[in-house]
């Protein structure tokens, strides 16, 4: 038996999906042959291995769904973004400035396709969209100031798995 523990951040509002439910919507294979039981914070595998923690469970499914990068370097970059956003005060303009500048010439935070990093960052911003003015009814000055982040955020709002 191997156990892993992780604390999870829960900045969710009742109208948004959990990160885990978003990631699981990308699962396109039947995992019943390897998973005995699964909840939001625990997976028990048929071999007796148990993983614990919402963050760890979500990361497991992200890897299963190929949302954890196409190589080791991209996986490390995804972990870096997750740690970075966990350490930031996401309601500040500095947070949005850094994201906006990074997205200047990018569509995704890592690589050339949707990854777990995009899902985490989108969910944090979406859960706090009343505060960050990135939604359609947001402050026009902020839409201009954070134009790359606004573009990215609204592109991701069109993806059916994220809504």
């Amino acid at each position: 038996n191997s156990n892993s523990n992780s604390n999870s951040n829960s900045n969710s509002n009742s109208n948004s999906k959990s990160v885990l439910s978003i990631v699981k919507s990308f699962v396109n294979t039947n995992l019943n042959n390897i998973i005995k039981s699964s909840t939001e914070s625990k997976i028990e595998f048929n071999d007796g291995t148990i993983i614990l923690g919402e963050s760890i469970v979500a990361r497991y499914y992200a890897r299963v769904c190929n949302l954890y990068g196409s190589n080791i370097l991209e996986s490390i970059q995804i972990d870096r973004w997750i740690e970075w956003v966990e350490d930031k005060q996401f309601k500040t303009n500095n947070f949005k400035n850094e994201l906006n500048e990074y997205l200047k010439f990018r569509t995704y935070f890592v690589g050339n396709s949707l990854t777990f990093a995009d899902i985490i960052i989108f969910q944090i911003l979406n859960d706090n969209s009343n505060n960050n003015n990135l939604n359609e009814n947001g402050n026009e000055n902020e839409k201009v100031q954070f134009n790359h982040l606004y573009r990215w955020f609204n592109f991701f709002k069109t993806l059916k798995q994220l809504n």
Side-chain angles (χ1 to χ4, degrees), residues 119-150:
I119 292 169
I120 294 288
I121 294 168
F122 174 83
Q123 198 61 19
I124 287 170
L125 292 170
N126 194 45
D127 284 350
N128 295 286
S129 62
N130 293 337
N131 300 319
N132 69 27
N133 293 316
L134 292 174
N135 57 36
E136 302 80 37
N137 302 322
N139 177 308
E140 289 301 321
N141 290 336
E142 284 206 8
K143 287 180 186 179
V144 171
Q145 181 181 1
F146 305 118
N147 60 328
H148 307 298
L149 182 58
Y150 180 78

Side-chain angles (χ1 to χ4, degrees), residues 47-58:
D47 70 359
T49 302
I50 296 173
I51 59 173
L52 299 171
E54 289 179 32
S55 172
I56 298 299
V57 169

Side-chain angles (χ1 to χ4, degrees), residues 13-85:
N13 85 36
S14 59
N15 296 328
S16 67
K17 288 183 169 182
S18 72
V19 168
L20 180 58
S21 67
I22 291 169
V23 171
K24 286 177 88 172
S25 72
F26 287 91
V27 174
N28 58 9
T29 60
N30 185 343
L31 300 174
N32 291 336
N33 60 333
I34 60 170
I35 294 178
K36 182 177 179 181
S37 65
S38 175
T39 67
E40 290 281 318
S41 61
K42 177 182 176 182
I43 297 177
E44 183 176 354
F45 294 90
N46 289 334
D47 70 359
T49 302
I50 296 173
I51 59 173
L52 299 171
E54 289 179 32
S55 172
I56 298 299
V57 169
R59 286 178 191 226
Y60 168 78
Y61 281 109
R63 285 181 172 92
V64 167
C65 300
N66 297 317
L67 295 170
Y68 227 84
S70 60
N71 57 52
I72 293 171
L73 182 57
E74 286 186 3
S75 294
I76 291 167
Q77 290 172 324
I78 291 165
D79 287 333
R80 177 196 158 274
W81 276 110
I82 293 168
E83 287 180 18
W84 185 84
V85 297

